Amino acid sequence: MTTATQHEETLGFQTEVKQLLHLMIHSLYSNREIFLRELISNAADACDKLRYQALDNDALYEGDSELRIEIEHDAEAGTVTVRDSGIGMSRDEVIANLGTIARSGTAEFLKQLSGEQQKDARLIGQFGVGFYSGFIVADEVAVRTRKAGSDKAEGVEWRSRGEGEFTVADIEREAHGTEIVLHLKADAQEFADDFRLQSLVRKYSDHIEVPVRMPRVEKAHDEEGNEIEGSETTTWETVNEATALWVRPKSELTDDEYKAFYKHVAHDFSDPLTWSHNKVEGKLEYVSLLYVPGRAPFDLYERDGARGVKLYVQRVFIMDDAEQFLPLYLRFVKGVLDTRDLSLNVSRELLQQDPQVDKIKSALTKRSLDMLKKLAKDPEAYQTFWNTFGSVLKEGPAEDFANREKIAGLLRFSTTHTDSATQDQSLADVVSRMKEGQEKIYYIVADGFNAAKNSPHLEIFRKKGIEVLLLHDRIDEWLMSHLQEFEGKAFVDVAKGELDLGEIEDEEEKQAKEETAKAKEALVKRVKEALGDAVQEVKVTHRLTDSPACVVLPEHEMGFQMRRIMEAAGQAMPEVKPILELNPEHALVARLEATEDATFSDLAHVLLDQAIIAEGGHLDDPAAYVKRLNALLSA
């Protein structure tokens, strides 16, 4: 038991914790009962960690190797206690773990929350800070803990009313592990009830491998069946299933059990979109249970964000975020991997050198992609996935050459077929709608959807009814540089190089183009002389129907969008001069041809600048453009 406290100090919460506690205490009423699941999950993790550390040093058990979680309540005092025989915490760990949120980006995320979102109980899972959920039902929380293997005098007590500060004091504590006492609010006394607590354990934590026990008080009866006063005996009864869910046969498991386990593993409050449970035997032996979440964690795009699966070796917990078993572009996949083929004392460093890891990684990658392919058969569910994780999956072709074709089949794009900003068209859809004789898949890259949709480069394609991919994500140009073809059809950027429509054009059209080019040779030469070094080349084009001119880049040059991204990141880029293509059928080009005086140069420059603006580019000298345009308008 505890003795008088000493070395007591009062400390302030980190700002983000204050905000989070305020949200929990004042807004999260929709699903109050999840506090118990979160505290049990944390307790189970603490037991797992002790089991793992005790592999090298079983003295940490201190003579009690039975890992367990205990839940007690006192209806009169209005308290619920959750106790574990796990690893416990030192004073410094208590201050670090219970006073701060050790996840980058949290403050930024909290700033963005508003109104309805704040009432959403799913928030807690986004921080991995389930402990704070205790304040949804309690107006005071006390934590007593001692790190396994430390002296009994090194116990710690933490107390807070969730109002901006907490106190930490040294206590003497016999048992290692952690005990959390919730002093329930007046409107949360329903939780100080035996039946209510048992049903919550079965509902949310049945799959926890550590036994969750609750006291059962029994009284002896006399011959007439009456209770004998003072004969109470307390026995501890295991309430949960207490077997690792992933090792049970698939046939025994219900969808609800899978969903509940996902919420435990991912600290998420919403259901997963899909999952895949597999047992592999043979040269490699392992069980994997992988999930695709329904929503993104807030640190999805942070390089140091938590990712990876929970790693177990023969049901012994080893590591929380074992990122070595999935590639970075599948970092949204959550789940469990339990294997026989790694040593129990494996660490992150050893994992990186183990050849078995690469084999398992390859298999889990294939399994994840197959899971997504299966999900794609349900367009609505897959669209939810794509809207959430699509831009992460787009990293795949560059990172995983071997699975490039598989990933390509899972990609979704905006196209001129729907003219919608929603990315919902697959490459297989695009190929199935190809014109007869079309051998290439055409695409355009722009800074935004409207810039892509209204690009002058699409004019000839719209006229001929040829579908073009409208790429407007920041990652798209980089993606296309690694995605050369799909089902034997090469990808072509319509804003680069010569436009070749292949067999879609007939001989008459090709001949007419050549004759026009010949007829406009003099004009092209004059424009090139007027523009000088501003352009690489000038030519007539047949890719335009409504616009007077467009700028094109050489075929293997980096696109304008990628250049701007690189420059914004501080990368010095070599200067690239565009090719100006003129529409010989346009009235402005006809006017240019008929102009003989100094106005010719101004009009040529205006056509070039307008073509750059239409492409979404930036002018080197906007003032000069405005001056020339004003001169032409007032002439």
Side-chain angles (χ1 to χ4, degrees):
M1 293 303 295
T2 60
T3 61
T5 57
Q6 52 197 340
H7 184 197
E8 181 169 307
E9 57 181 330
T10 300
L11 300 163
F13 280 116
Q14 181 194 27
T15 314
E16 292 92 317
V17 178
K18 280 189 200 173
Q19 288 176 272
L20 188 63
L21 286 170
H22 183 80
L23 280 179
M24 291 195 172
I25 294 163
H26 298 288
S27 308
L28 303 182
Y29 294 117
S30 57
N31 195 6
R32 303 177 86 183
E33 61 191 34
I34 51 78
F35 81 91
L36 192 65
R37 184 187 83 198
E38 288 302 302
L39 296 183
I40 291 173
S41 280
N42 288 351
D45 287 345
C47 291
D48 280 342
K49 282 168 184 161
L50 176 57
R51 184 192 286 139
Y52 175 50
Q53 290 192 19
L55 292 171
D56 291 332
N57 176 14
D58 69 359
L60 291 175
Y61 283 131
E62 300 177 9
D64 178 10
S65 61
E66 187 196 353
L67 296 170
R68 62 197 176 275
I69 298 164
E70 294 173 351
I71 300 172
E72 288 185 274
H73 70 277
D74 183 333
E76 282 180 33
T79 60
V80 171
T81 302
V82 179
R83 185 184 303 117
D84 68 67
S85 60
I87 191 72
M89 291 180 278
S90 65
R91 187 185 181 101
D92 288 346
E93 285 170 334
V94 165
I95 293 169
N97 294 340
L98 306 187
T100 63
I101 299 176
R103 297 283 290 278
S104 55
T106 309
E108 195 54 42
F109 193 83
L110 280 163
K111 270 186 214 161
Q112 295 166 16
L113 293 174
S114 63
E116 289 308 302
Q117 283 176 294
Q118 291 187 356
K119 294 186 177 65
D120 193 339
R122 296 181 302 183
L123 272 176
I124 306 160
Q126 295 192 294
F127 304 110
V129 287
F131 165 74
Y132 297 115
S133 63
F135 286 101
I136 299 175
V137 296
D139 49 24
E140 185 179 2
V141 175
V143 178
R144 299 184 191 95
T145 184
R146 180 170 67 76
K147 183 111 176 182
S150 66
D151 191 88
K152 286 171 187 175
E154 290 179 34
V156 186
E157 183 176 73
W158 180 99
R159 278 182 175 275
S160 177
R161 299 188 66 84
E163 290 167 352
E165 57 186 33
F166 57 92
T167 58
V168 183
D170 294 340
I171 59 170
E172 192 163 304
R173 183 172 159 82
E174 283 291 321
H176 60 78
T178 302
E179 174 180 275
I180 297 171
V181 182
L182 305 173
H183 296 266
L184 298 173
K185 296 176 180 179
D187 63 352
Q189 294 297 318
E190 61 179 289
F191 295 108
D193 174 78
D194 202 57
F195 180 76
R196 184 86 163 97
L197 291 170
Q198 281 198 35
S199 64
L200 289 181
V201 172
R202 293 201 175 103
K203 179 177 178 181
Y204 289 118
S205 306
D206 212 30
H207 53 269
I208 300 279
E209 199 185 355
V210 181
V212 179
R213 307 192 320 189
M214 288 180 65
R216 187 176 186 171
V217 178
E218 290 177 333
K219 292 183 179 178
H221 294 80
D222 59 23
E223 290 167 4
E224 293 169 13
N226 300 315
E227 290 181 351
I228 301 171
E229 277 301 315
S231 66
E232 294 92 345
T233 55
T234 302
T235 55
W236 287 91
E237 180 182 33
T238 298
V239 186
N240 63 330
E241 182 88 22
T243 57
L245 174 131
W246 61 89
V247 299
R248 289 163 57 192
K250 281 200 271 191
S251 55
E252 281 183 17
L253 295 167
T254 65
D255 285 0
D256 285 344
E257 285 177 299
Y258 276 121
K259 288 173 185 175
F261 184 66
Y262 163 75
K263 289 169 185 174
H264 162 65
V265 166
H267 286 286
D268 194 352
F269 285 70
S270 49
D271 289 337
L273 284 174
T274 186
W275 58 86
S276 176
H277 186 189
N278 296 283
K279 185 174 184 180
V280 176
E281 292 173 323
K283 279 187 180 177
L284 273 176
E285 285 197 23
Y286 63 88
V287 176
S288 65
L289 175 50
L290 305 177
Y291 290 93
V292 175
R295 0 169 250 112
F298 75 101
D299 56 0
L300 183 66
Y301 294 99
E302 290 181 18
R303 302 300 297 176
D304 59 349
R307 57 179 169 268
V309 293
K310 269 183 185 277
L311 175 64
Y312 289 77
V313 174
Q314 295 174 50
R315 282 191 267 177
V316 175
F317 171 78
I318 302 295
M319 193 179 299
D320 238 336
D321 304 306
E323 59 194 41
Q324 292 85 349
F325 295 96
L326 282 170
L328 200 55
Y329 72 91
L330 292 175
R331 59 184 174 273
F332 51 82
V333 173
K334 300 287 182 191
V336 165
L337 169 67
D338 189 343
T339 176
R340 288 169 169 269
D341 294 292
L342 297 169
S343 60
L344 277 172
N345 62 351
V346 73
S347 66
R348 288 186 189 275
E349 290 69 34
L350 288 172
L351 271 184
Q352 280 153 357
Q353 298 155 11
D354 195 316
Q356 304 288 19
V357 171
D358 290 335
K359 290 176 186 167
I360 296 174
K361 179 179 181 177
S362 174
L364 293 191
T365 301
K366 183 176 178 298
R367 189 79 63 197
S368 300
L369 294 174
D370 288 345
M371 178 166 56
L372 292 176
K373 188 178 177 183
K374 196 173 168 188
L375 182 66
K377 290 175 183 171
D378 177 348
E380 196 178 322
Y382 194 75
Q383 198 58 45
T384 301
F385 160 75
W386 182 261
N387 295 343
T388 312
F389 300 112
S391 51
V392 178
L393 195 64
K394 283 180 180 179
E395 297 170 15
E399 191 186 337
D400 188 356
F401 188 84
N403 288 305
R404 197 170 45 167
E405 190 81 5
K406 258 187 177 175
I407 300 164
L410 296 168
L411 300 177
R412 295 293 180 269
F413 300 95
S414 302
T415 81
T416 52
H417 177 71
T418 57
D419 264 348
S420 160
T422 305
Q423 298 177 19
D424 58 1
Q425 301 298 305
S426 71
L427 292 175
D429 293 336
V430 174
V431 170
S432 72
R433 292 191 289 259
M434 275 184 165
K435 292 277 180 195
E436 196 176 335
Q438 184 181 338
E439 287 302 317
K440 292 167 182 168
I441 300 172
Y442 298 100
Y443 68 91
I444 186 160
V445 181
D447 277 342
F449 171 69
N450 284 329
K453 185 177 94 165
N454 300 316
S455 169
H457 292 288
L458 299 182
E459 290 173 11
I460 187 67
F461 293 93
R462 290 195 186 278
K463 182 181 175 184
K464 290 186 173 288
I466 300 168
E467 189 170 358
V468 179
L469 308 182
L470 305 174
L471 307 184
H472 49 94
D473 281 350
R474 284 171 67 85
I475 194 175
D476 281 338
E477 190 172 343
W478 188 68
L479 161 71
M480 298 315 287
S481 68
H482 293 92
L483 204 64
Q484 277 88 32
E485 60 169 45
F486 178 75
E487 292 184 0
K489 311 281 186 188
F491 288 99
V492 174
D493 185 340
V494 301
K496 287 186 188 176
E498 289 284 345
L499 178 64
D500 179 13
L501 295 177
E503 292 178 25
I504 300 170
E505 284 187 315
D506 56 34
E507 284 306 314
E508 273 182 42
E509 282 181 296
K510 288 178 185 172
Q511 201 171 340
K513 277 167 68 173
E514 285 170 22
E515 286 170 9
T516 308
K518 223 168 193 180
K520 300 294 179 187
E521 274 178 2
L523 172 65
V524 165
K525 191 177 175 192
R526 285 175 68 204
V527 174
K528 176 70 180 95
E529 285 170 3
L531 296 176
D533 286 344
V535 292
Q536 189 177 130
E537 193 182 345
V538 180
K539 53 173 77 169
V540 291
T541 186
H542 295 271
R543 66 172 96 213
L544 300 174
T545 57
D546 302 320
S547 303
C550 65
V551 284
V552 178
L553 287 174
E555 192 176 347
H556 299 296
E557 190 62 59
M558 184 185 289
F560 287 116
Q561 186 210 37
M562 184 60 93
R563 288 178 67 83
R564 284 193 286 276
I565 291 171
M566 300 289 273
E567 283 164 358
Q571 186 85 30
M573 302 301 297
E575 192 183 358
V576 61
K577 300 194 189 310
I579 298 163
L580 178 67
E581 297 197 356
L582 301 170
N583 176 3
E585 310 294 326
H586 200 279
L588 268 180
V589 175
R591 181 181 163 188
L592 180 69
E593 195 170 13
T595 305
E596 293 296 338
D597 54 18
T599 313
F600 181 89
S601 176
D602 280 350
L603 187 50
H605 275 96
V606 165
L607 285 176
L608 171 63
D609 288 347
Q610 283 184 341
I612 290 170
I613 292 166
E615 179 280 324
H618 303 293
L619 300 181
D620 283 341
D621 189 353
Y625 165 67
V626 173
K627 192 176 173 185
R628 286 190 188 106
L629 189 60
N630 289 344
L632 288 167
L633 290 171
S634 56

